[in-house]
Amino acid sequence: MKDRSTLIIDGKALAAKIRGEVASECAALSGEGRRRPKLCVIIAGDNQASKVYVRNKRKACEDCGIDSVTVELGADVTREELFSVIDKMNSDCEVDGILVQLPLPGGIDEKEIILRISPDKDVDCFHPVNVGRVYTGDPVFLPCTPAGIIELLKFAGVEISGAKCVVVGRSNIVGKPVAALLLSENGTVTVAHSRTKDLKSVTSEADILIAAIGKAKFFTAEYVKPGAAVIDVGMDRDEEGKLCGDVDFDGVFGICGAITPVPGGVGPMTVAMLMKNTLKAYKLHEG
Ligand code: GUN
């Protein structure tokens, strides 16, 4: 029954606040006459969504006072060419962060490309060394989208400690690392996925539901516990081609306690956390 007031968690506002904090720190650094932090973004091929994400990252750097360089490569790029760009950026002591936008064109092994990035410049937190550090509770960088999700929950006043958290999706970028971070925050975490039996019975127990399966408006009211906090990681298109999430927003509004909108929820947080990681990398390199 729709008898509840639902908080819409404003990711755009929170991301702007975090970016503002990064910008203030960067301004203070340049006031001391020090070099600015620098991010290198590598993109290959012409995936339109990736191009939009990369443009947003470049714009965020400009706003924060972080230098950025974008290396654009063709869809026919070879692993050797990618290695060569990454090696150059690894050894450039003015480059603090290196990010290879995924997905890469078919035929390129993404794992070996990520392995080539120096772990101390891996601001995406995709390198196995950094992934391991997250799992052992000793992180240097935090994975951007998962860390953004934790910030959104805290911003909304949602208590993670002791909560039943259900993550639906097990990707290396979102599902697995957000499960690790929720566990670090003392949540009781279940990871569900496409093979999970009776998914509704699993998700409808969740105090915190993380929807990351990439299916437009999949999570209808029957999947959601009344009062739950719902974080929608989806970036999908509805039947009319309009941007929407994995959650049927109108269907669950008035049932859940809090929800992130799409757009304006998780998306802006990913970029804000990337800015934070780039500043962190700068501080590590500058001592
Ligand atoms: N593709 C989709 N999300 C991401 C991300 O957070 N980082 C990179 N590098 N590629 C992505």
Side-chain angles (χ1 to χ4, degrees), residues 53 57 99-103 124 126 145 173 270:
Y53 297 145
K57 288 168 187 177
L99 177 158
V100 178
Q101 187 66 32
L102 302 180
D124 256 331
F126 286 174
T145 301
I173 297 185
T270 299

Side-chain angles (χ1 to χ4, degrees), residues 276-287:
K276 257 187 117 156
N277 276 348
T278 305
L279 180 58
K280 172 109 195 252
Y282 170 90
K283 288 178 182 167
L284 285 175
H285 299 143
E286 289 292 299

Side-chain angles (χ1 to χ4, degrees), residues 16-27:
K17 178 173 169 277
I18 292 169
R19 279 164 61 162
E21 287 162 6
V22 173
S24 304
E25 278 204 57
C26 290

